[in-house]
């Protein structure tokens, strides 16, 4: 594996490293340990994305309380990170929003405290068992002027008869970006979702991996290495694709800048 000084400055937009607020890192010590590990693997910017489980939050007040809890825990982490004498990524706060239906997502579209690192981009998951294509969720985000980033589409179980790649193409055509987990390229999720590794590589072949994120859950770190994912992509001649998905596009998303048109990104048989 390459050392950090041989790696580009990765930007991670999906992880669970705000301590004690979801099923990720449980303590500040766990968070800092994970952040150190990711810095050593080349991650220089990291937006933490605790779960925001909208179907479990009955009222707007409940959503507000949950976001406040995220913010308080994040602020404590930032204080300790600032005092660290080892290198750590620059930190931002976002959410991984569970929104199976447009009505769920609409509850947060107007909130200025929801988004990836203060940007207009939203990291959204639909739930692992898809019910149809959830195109209404994508449409609601786009109609509100938000950039929707769909979390780990390679890990979903698609409706019977649906072609996962066709569904993904439809999402991208509507304006969504697709975020693949770093661990999927090495088969980390094959027990829960046997197709995830094959789908991740099929998405690479079609130029559909817009963003690679770690989905790091603290001590459960095995198999979510960004450096390994980068190395695996480079080994298959996909260095330019990896650079775009792990540095250029996530950085552009955080700046609310447009990313290149998906269709224009890839040339047949090439990697430009
Ligand atoms: Fe996640």
């Amino acid at each position: 594996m390459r050392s950090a000084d041989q790696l580009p400055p990765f930007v991670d937009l999906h992880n669970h490293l705000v301590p004690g607020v979801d099923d990720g890192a449980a303590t500040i010590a766990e968070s800092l340990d994970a952040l150190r590990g990711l810095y050593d693997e080349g991650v220089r910017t990291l937006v933490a994305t605790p779960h925001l489980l909208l179907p479990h939050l009955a009222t707007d007040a409940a959503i507000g309380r949950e976001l406040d809890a995220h913010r308080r825990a994040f602020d404590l982490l930032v204080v300790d990170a600032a005092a660290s004498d080892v290198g750590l990524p620059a930190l931002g706060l976002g959410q991984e929003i569970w929104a199976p239906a447009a009505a769920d997502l609409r509850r947060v579209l107007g909130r200025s405290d929801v988004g990836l690192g203060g940007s207009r981009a939203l990291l959204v998951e639909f739930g692992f068992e898809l019910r149809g294509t959830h195109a209404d969720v994508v449409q609601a985000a786009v109609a509100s002027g938000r950039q929707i980033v769909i979390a780990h589409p390679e890990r979903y179980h698609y409706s019977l008869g649906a072609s996962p790649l066709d569904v993904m193409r439809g999402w991208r055509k509507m304006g969504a970006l697709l975020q693949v987990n770093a661990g999927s390229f090495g088969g980390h999720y094959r027990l829960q979702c046997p197709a995830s590794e094959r789908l991740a590589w099929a998405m690479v072949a079609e130029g559909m991996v817009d963003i690679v994120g770690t989905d790091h859950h603290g001590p459960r770190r095995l198999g979510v290495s960004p450096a390994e994912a980068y190395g695996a992509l480079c080994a298959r001649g996909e260095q330019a694709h990896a650079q775009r998905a792990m540095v250029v596009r996530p950085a552009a998303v955080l700046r609310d800048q447009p990313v290149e048109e998906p269709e224009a990104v890839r040339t047949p048989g090439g990697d430009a």
Side-chain angles (χ1 to χ4, degrees):
M1 193 163 70
R2 294 167 169 85
S3 64
D5 56 5
Q6 298 171 296
L7 294 165
F10 298 137
V11 179
D12 184 21
L13 298 187
H14 185 172
N15 58 79
H16 300 271
L17 298 180
V18 174
V21 296
D22 62 5
D23 59 344
T27 63
I28 289 181
E30 285 186 5
S31 297
L32 290 174
D33 189 48
L35 291 171
R36 271 192 292 273
L38 289 173
Y39 186 87
D40 289 345
E41 290 204 26
V43 177
R44 292 294 177 266
T45 305
L46 179 144
V47 175
T49 53
H51 290 290
L52 186 67
L53 305 173
L54 292 176
H56 293 175
L57 298 167
T59 64
D60 288 349
I63 293 173
R65 283 194 296 274
E66 182 73 5
L67 291 168
D68 286 347
H70 294 177
R71 172 58 67 180
R72 281 195 301 274
F74 175 76
D75 287 346
L76 290 173
L77 175 63
V78 167
V79 169
D80 279 22
S84 171
D85 52 6
V86 298
L88 297 175
L91 299 176
L93 179 62
Q95 308 79 26
E96 180 180 17
I97 304 166
W98 179 30
D104 299 305
L105 195 64
R106 286 198 188 99
R107 298 172 66 200
V108 297
L109 287 173
R111 295 190 70 117
S112 60
D113 53 356
V114 170
L116 290 171
S119 76
R120 66 185 175 86
L122 305 172
L123 179 68
V124 175
E125 62 171 334
F126 300 135
F128 284 110
E129 299 292 336
L130 293 194
R131 300 196 298 267
T133 66
H134 301 259
D136 61 320
V137 184
V138 179
Q139 178 57 33
V142 172
S144 75
R146 295 281 204 160
Q147 173 65 62
I148 182 169
V149 179
I150 298 177
H152 43 58
E154 80 282 8
R155 294 184 59 195
Y156 294 143
H157 296 114
Y158 288 79
S159 306
L160 203 62
S163 154
L165 291 175
D166 282 349
V167 174
M168 292 180 202
R169 278 188 209 101
W171 290 334
R172 291 180 91 236
K173 211 168 236 174
M174 295 172 71
L177 297 173
L178 306 185
Q179 176 263 307
V180 172
N181 281 7
S184 292
F185 298 111
H188 181 58
Y189 305 99
R190 63 169 72 102
L191 276 184
Q192 306 101 305
C193 182
S196 55
E197 182 178 3
R198 179 181 55 77
L199 268 181
W201 286 108
M203 291 171 70
V204 171
E206 298 224 8
M208 290 209 293
V209 179
D210 295 305
I211 291 172
V212 172
T214 65
D215 205 357
H216 197 315
H217 277 69
R220 282 168 287 164
R221 179 167 182 278
L222 195 67
V224 300
S225 161
E228 284 178 18
Y230 183 77
L233 286 160
C234 290
R236 295 205 189 188
E238 299 285 356
Q239 184 163 3
H241 201 151
Q243 174 89 15
R244 282 194 301 271
M246 301 183 76
V247 182
V248 178
R249 285 204 190 106
V253 163
L254 290 182
R255 292 192 299 264
D256 282 332
Q257 290 174 341
V259 298
E260 323 93 295
E261 281 300 309
E263 285 75 15
V265 167
R266 198 169 180 83
T267 54
D271 194 32

